[in-house]
């Protein structure tokens, strides 16, 4: 079984941009937004991914992700429920962790979220200076819900 363990934070300043080692444009849609089994299609740069996630239990949930041809991802995204999410993801190394900072676009402009994936739930890490409020486990900030509440 594949588990995802991550912590999410609202971003309070843009200092992450100077620390970033790369960035990529992302477009994603949801074939199913049921919180018990979210199904996402994502185009990340020139790659496509199909992802199935379970309901969160704190910072942990099941995640199954499969790379698919980007041409197929472009067709599948057309089948998504309304509310395609577009964002720029910055890759920010900080204190031996790789943080991902997502700047959302279009109707979500102004929403910026940072997350860090961890090897286990007890893993200790330092928070970088660009993160503020901990929103881990807050359904209002799941990408699948953002279209509805922001």
């Amino acid at each position: 079984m594949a588990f995802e363990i991550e912590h999410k934070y609202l971003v309070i300043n843009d200092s992450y941009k100077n620390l970033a080692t790369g960035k990529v444009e992302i477009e994603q849609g949801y074939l199913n937004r049921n919180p018990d089994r979210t199904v996402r299609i994502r185009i990340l740069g020139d790659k496509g991914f199909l992802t199935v996630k379970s309901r969160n239990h704190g910072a942990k949930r099941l995640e199954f992700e499969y790379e698919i041809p980007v041409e197929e991802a472009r067709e599948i995204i057309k089948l998504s429920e309304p509310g395609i999410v577009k964002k720029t993801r910055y890759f920010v190394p900080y204190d031996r962790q790789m943080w991902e900072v997502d700047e959302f676009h279009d109707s979500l402009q102004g929403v910026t979220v940072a997350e860090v994936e961890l090897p286990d739930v007890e893993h200790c890490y330092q928070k970088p200076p660009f993160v503020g409020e901990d929103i881990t486990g807050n359904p209002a900030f799941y990408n699948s819900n953002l279209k509805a509440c922001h």
Side-chain angles (χ1 to χ4, degrees):
M1 249 184 268
F3 284 101
E4 172 185 62
I5 301 166
E6 71 180 11
H7 288 262
K8 267 185 167 179
Y9 297 86
L10 289 178
V11 171
I12 57 173
N13 65 54
D14 68 356
S15 63
Y16 62 90
K17 289 183 179 182
N18 292 329
L19 300 171
T21 57
K23 68 180 183 176
V24 66
E25 299 302 315
I26 296 174
E27 182 177 2
Q28 63 191 37
Y30 291 86
L31 302 173
N32 182 1
R33 283 189 164 95
N34 181 313
D36 290 324
R37 56 191 165 280
T38 304
V39 180
R40 176 184 74 203
I41 187 75
R42 175 183 275 175
I43 300 168
L44 190 137
D46 61 353
K47 295 183 178 188
F49 296 90
L50 181 65
T51 307
V52 179
K53 295 185 179 193
S54 70
R55 180 180 291 274
N56 277 45
H57 298 284
K60 185 176 179 179
R61 67 178 159 188
L62 287 171
E63 178 184 60
F64 303 93
E65 185 166 73
Y66 306 95
E67 187 170 348
I68 63 172
V70 70
E71 300 81 20
E72 290 181 19
R74 286 189 183 108
E75 290 302 313
I76 295 170
I77 208 165
K78 294 175 188 175
L79 303 174
S80 296
E81 297 175 357
I84 301 296
V85 174
K86 294 182 181 180
K87 59 188 179 180
T88 302
R89 172 166 289 170
Y90 292 83
F91 300 98
V92 184
Y94 187 82
D95 190 46
R96 297 172 301 198
Q97 303 296 320
M98 182 58 74
W99 288 76
E100 295 175 346
V101 178
D102 290 344
E103 285 183 352
F104 291 85
H105 304 301
D106 300 332
S107 65
L108 298 171
Q109 192 74 33
V111 176
T112 306
V113 174
E115 63 184 46
V116 61
E117 288 199 24
L118 304 172
D120 60 70
V121 293
E122 301 299 322
H123 188 81
C124 293
Y125 61 96
Q126 294 292 316
K127 291 184 275 187
F130 53 82
V131 302
E133 180 184 350
D134 184 344
I135 55 171
T136 303
N138 182 340
F141 289 96
Y142 295 168
N143 279 220
S144 59
N145 291 339
L146 282 176
K147 72 158 189 82
C149 52
H150 296 283

